[in-house]
Amino acid sequence: MPATLTYAVPQSWGGGFLGDLTLNGGDAGLNGWMVAFDAGFAITNTWGAEIVSHVGTHYVLRNLGWNAVVPPGGSFSFGFQGSGDSAASGLALNGAAQGGTTPPPEPEPPPAIGVSAGSAAEAEGPLHFTISFDKPSAIPVTVSYATADGTALAGLDYRTAGGSLTFAPGETRKTVSVTLLNDAAHEGTESLSLLLANPSGATLAGGGVATGTIRDDDPPPAPLPVLSVSDAAGLEGTPDAASDGVAAGFFSTRGNQIVDAAGQAVKIAGVNWFGLESSNLAPHGLWARGYKEMMDQMKAEGFNAIRLPFSSELLHTTQVPNGIDFSKNPELAGLSGLEVMDRIIDYAGEIELRIILDHHRGSAGAGASDNGLWYGGGHSEAQWIADWAMLAARYAGDATVIGADLHNEPYNGSWGDNSATDWAAAAERAGNAALSANPDWLIFVEGIGTYQGNSYWWGGNLMGVRDRPVQLDVANKLVYSAHDYPNSIYGQSWFSGGGWEGQLTAKFDQMWGYIYKEGIAPVFLGEFGSKLSDPKDLVWLEKLTAYLSGDLDADGAHDIPAGAEGVSWTWWSWNPNSGDTGGILADDWSTVIGAKTAWLDPLMFDLDGEPAGGGSAGPGGQALHFAVQLSAAASRDVWVDFATIAGSADASDFTPVAGTLHFAPGETSKTVAVALTADVRVEPDEQFTLQLSNLRGAAPAQLAGAGTIRNDDAAAPPLVEAPPVVVPPEPPAPSGLDGRYSVANAWGGGFQGSVAVQNHGPVPVNGWSLRLDMPFEITQIWNAEIVSHDAAGYLIRNLAWNGTLADEQSASFGFIGTGSGSAAQVDLVFG
């Protein structure tokens, strides 16, 4: 029997196969062999033979040195890996033709690869996933993998894992381990998945996904304390005839108090409105609104003063103000920057706002002076002093202007060293120059940046006052001014470390508060503010506002004696375009951010002697005190928002309040005071609600407290009727309302109209409307809105904030119209 050759294909897959050639030695055996065949495939790898020739489709292979001999009756196999069609023809062994090619077997399915998962406690970890085959593979296999969230979340409960695995031929198992993140929170059993994808040389079994379990090993938390608010009831009180809103006049100081002309303690509670110091040479926002409308809103929000920054350049430049929409501010057209300041001050006087002039920088621009001094950049100290003397003389006799904040943030100044940068000495020179021209002013002296190696916020370091106080030629006119800011502005060292919250009061004391607490002089916090996006800012603001209101010790005790007021302040800023703090206004230059004003409402003060916030009752009035309590002390901070909601009692009966209460760990009780408005009307008892919401860190119980205002006015005795006297009365306007129209300004083809609406009572009006019949078209309106427009004129009503008019109270609105605006052609109709 001659030697023979057979060809078989034991395994194939998409695009590839294994070829097997078997030699049988026959009766005589083989001593050296050569194999030839024709094929369309390409051999990529051989074993047991070597390729002698490959021309076109013809292959010639021969033995290696060690396998040339095949004994009689013996056999030997060698093979190769090919790509393409596995068919071969024309097989020959040592030149002798062989039989046809053995048909390849049906392709064997590739191995299937799957994944299984285990479980692990979060403190044990890691969590293991096993990737395995159902059978070995003759070729390398790759597969990618990645974790996916279930109830367990990456970054909180585990670290993400992903990548690619390669299995060598014959290898059937690998493990992927996922690191678990241990925490102390009791959260129950959680899960995550491992997903396989993109296999090469195998298929996926079971969808290629497995879910692993993380067993919780933390004890359940202690139950949350329960929060509730009490009801409150009290008498409305009787108005105090002695508190009749007397004018505050010019201000002076007495000890640590700012006092009015009658010697009564007052508190500046204002806002910064910047822009005059900038290249606009005008307060910002006048491109969006009229300045009067803007200032009316400041007044309505309870602020009693404006700190008004300006630059030296404003007083000397020939440049005209820019960034003003003169259709909204027609009175400012053609004015210089200083004349714009005049108009701001004039209108502030009309609506009983006070002004503090703040020399913010030398050249026009943003922020503090680049060199941290009050001179430089083309503006000398002599000019700075002369400018203050000029401004003091310009506004002499006008009690609207409280005084001079001599220079903003002289952070590179020294204190008391008699050098060219001695800020204390320079403040005396400028302050005395201003007082020589206007002895009625207050002089505000800010701090520096660093004193004796102790650094603080720019303008906030007043430590040097103890060693070297400022001395002015006019007594009782000096107020020290500090700036203070939170963690979001800069992460100062006192905002970190264990127990940092409890150290803030001591930091205020060290840098500026001691001046007030020791009765050295009044203190004015000229700048403080935040976007309220950093949790540390909220803690800082809570500590600071408590400090300003009189809770000057770490234990929260109220340390201000009767008849005295706390630290004066102006919030930074009214403007929304402050990059550091944002503003009281949102970016639309109109909407008030209530989350900010809620912190400030309890600190407000009306300079006519009446209360402005919700924190205490006014003269003759009472207050309802709602107790907000936790059932037990919490181990973490608890926060809850509060707001009053009108019922049968409304804003004419009490001062609405809103804000946020913070219970520090260990605290269980807070109080919300709502000031009542005293009156002499005989009326039923009235109710309103203190509503709590957005509770964080505690469970709710009672979140609404009922406030009852009890009437304490007796009905008047019956009158003895006199004989009637018949006098034809003038028909009263409906609801006691009447109004006056006037032309505030006019120009070719247009005019500015003004309407004053007044309630002659005695019943308060909650919402007013009127017909404004005229042939003129309104193109712009403020402080009111148009309901409808017909051929005869307009139906106009109040806005949300100016609809309530008490007896003899008035509201005004204005508009721009086309035409002459003649009063003879305008008719006001109330109905």
Side-chain angles (χ1 to χ4, degrees), residues 372-672:
L373 299 172
W374 51 98
Y375 57 85
H379 300 278
S380 67
E381 179 179 296
Q383 182 192 76
W384 168 68
I385 293 173
D387 287 345
W388 273 125
M390 179 275 292
L391 290 171
R394 187 181 187 90
Y395 301 118
D398 185 353
T400 301
V401 183
I402 295 174
D405 190 336
L406 294 177
H407 183 67
N408 175 71
E409 297 180 353
Y411 57 90
N412 275 334
S414 56
W415 192 286
D417 63 359
N418 296 316
S419 70
T421 62
D422 185 347
W423 168 238
E428 289 174 343
R429 293 190 290 271
N432 287 330
L435 290 172
S436 67
N438 185 348
D440 292 320
W441 267 13
L442 294 177
I443 301 299
F444 297 83
V445 178
E446 295 192 24
I448 55 177
T450 301
Y451 182 74
Q452 295 183 350
N454 295 284
S455 295
Y456 202 59
W457 298 108
W458 288 357
N461 191 327
L462 285 162
M463 295 177 67
V465 170
R466 186 184 300 282
D467 302 324
R468 200 285 196 199
V470 171
Q471 301 289 334
L472 297 176
D473 294 341
V474 180
N476 302 321
K477 291 295 181 180
L478 173 64
V479 179
Y480 289 105
S481 175
H483 294 180
D484 213 289
Y485 281 105
N487 183 73
S488 64
I489 306 303
Y490 183 77
Q492 302 276 18
S493 60
W494 49 88
F495 293 121
S496 61
W500 66 270
E501 303 94 331
Q503 304 302 314
L504 286 177
T505 297
K507 179 58 69 173
F508 303 151
D509 285 345
Q510 176 192 19
M511 291 297 168
W512 49 269
Y514 77 93
I515 298 172
Y516 178 93
K517 293 178 71 171
E518 296 177 15
I520 297 170
V523 173
F524 165 67
L525 193 63
E527 289 185 18
F528 69 111
S530 168
K531 292 181 179 178
L532 305 185
S533 57
D534 184 336
K536 288 187 176 182
D537 283 21
L538 298 178
V539 177
W540 164 84
L541 188 55
E542 180 187 29
K543 296 291 185 182
L544 185 60
T545 52
Y547 196 92
L548 296 177
S549 67
D551 297 343
L552 302 178
D553 290 337
D555 61 3
H558 192 80
D559 296 328
I560 295 179
E565 293 295 336
V567 175
S568 292
W569 54 269
T570 47
W571 175 271
W572 187 275
S573 62
W574 180 254
N575 308 46
N577 58 329
S578 169
D580 288 332
T581 66
I584 292 293
L585 295 184
D587 289 341
D588 61 4
W589 281 95
S590 180
T591 303
V592 170
I593 299 176
K596 294 187 178 184
T597 56
W599 285 98
L600 302 177
D601 283 343
L603 306 179
M604 294 296 186
F605 186 90
D606 275 354
L607 292 173
D608 62 359
E610 304 273 342
S616 59
Q622 309 296 321
L624 298 189
H625 294 86
F626 294 84
V628 183
Q629 294 182 312
L630 291 171
S631 60
S635 59
R636 62 179 67 182
D637 291 325
V638 174
W639 303 81
V640 66
D641 299 339
F642 66 88
T644 47
I645 300 175
S648 55
D650 57 25
S652 66
D653 303 299
F654 65 91
T655 301
V657 297
T660 300
L661 296 177
H662 172 214
F663 293 80
E667 292 185 316
T668 59
S669 180
K670 296 284 183 180
T671 300
V672 176

Side-chain angles (χ1 to χ4, degrees), residues 19-72:
D20 185 66
L21 291 158
T22 302
L23 299 171
N24 190 299
D27 294 338
L30 293 171
N31 186 9
W33 48 265
M34 187 173 292
V35 173
F37 56 84
D38 290 294
F41 53 73
I43 296 176
T44 59
N45 188 25
T46 64
W47 50 90
E50 63 180 349
I51 298 174
V52 177
S53 170
H54 177 204
V55 178
T57 60
H58 190 68
Y59 277 95
V60 179
L61 290 77
R62 69 181 176 193
N63 60 270
L64 301 177
W66 55 272
N67 61 359
V69 175
V70 179

Side-chain angles (χ1 to χ4, degrees), residues 258-476:
I258 299 174
V259 296
D260 64 14
Q264 296 181 341
V266 295
K267 181 172 65 176
I268 300 164
V271 66
N272 287 271
W273 185 18
F274 63 81
L276 273 168
E277 84 290 359
S278 74
S279 57
N280 292 106
L281 306 176
H284 284 177
L286 302 188
W287 53 77
R289 300 174 66 186
Y291 75 96
K292 290 184 177 180
E293 179 188 353
M294 195 95 73
M295 294 169 69
D296 286 339
Q297 191 177 20
M298 296 177 194
K299 179 74 173 180
E301 289 301 319
F303 296 110
N304 64 25
I306 303 171
R307 181 172 176 258
L308 197 62
F310 69 92
S311 67
S312 297
E313 187 172 338
L314 177 90
L315 308 179
H316 299 280
T317 184
T318 59
Q319 296 293 318
V320 297
N322 60 89
I324 301 174
D325 185 338
F326 291 110
S327 69
K328 297 178 174 64
N329 297 275
E331 297 171 64
L332 305 184
L335 301 185
S336 68
L338 181 57
E339 289 169 334
V340 170
M341 179 189 288
D342 291 339
R343 292 300 178 94
I344 298 296
I345 291 172
D346 289 345
Y347 191 65
E350 290 183 35
I351 62 175
E352 298 182 345
L353 281 175
R354 299 302 185 98
I355 299 292
I356 298 171
L357 296 178
D358 157 43
H359 180 265
H360 214 71
R361 51 183 294 121
S363 59
S369 293
D370 294 337
N371 65 354
L373 299 172
W374 51 98
Y375 57 85
H379 300 278
S380 67
E381 179 179 296
Q383 182 192 76
W384 168 68
I385 293 173
D387 287 345
W388 273 125
M390 179 275 292
L391 290 171
R394 187 181 187 90
Y395 301 118
D398 185 353
T400 301
V401 183
I402 295 174
D405 190 336
L406 294 177
H407 183 67
N408 175 71
E409 297 180 353
Y411 57 90
N412 275 334
S414 56
W415 192 286
D417 63 359
N418 296 316
S419 70
T421 62
D422 185 347
W423 168 238
E428 289 174 343
R429 293 190 290 271
N432 287 330
L435 290 172
S436 67
N438 185 348
D440 292 320
W441 267 13
L442 294 177
I443 301 299
F444 297 83
V445 178
E446 295 192 24
I448 55 177
T450 301
Y451 182 74
Q452 295 183 350
N454 295 284
S455 295
Y456 202 59
W457 298 108
W458 288 357
N461 191 327
L462 285 162
M463 295 177 67
V465 170
R466 186 184 300 282
D467 302 324
R468 200 285 196 199
V470 171
Q471 301 289 334
L472 297 176
D473 294 341
V474 180
N476 302 321

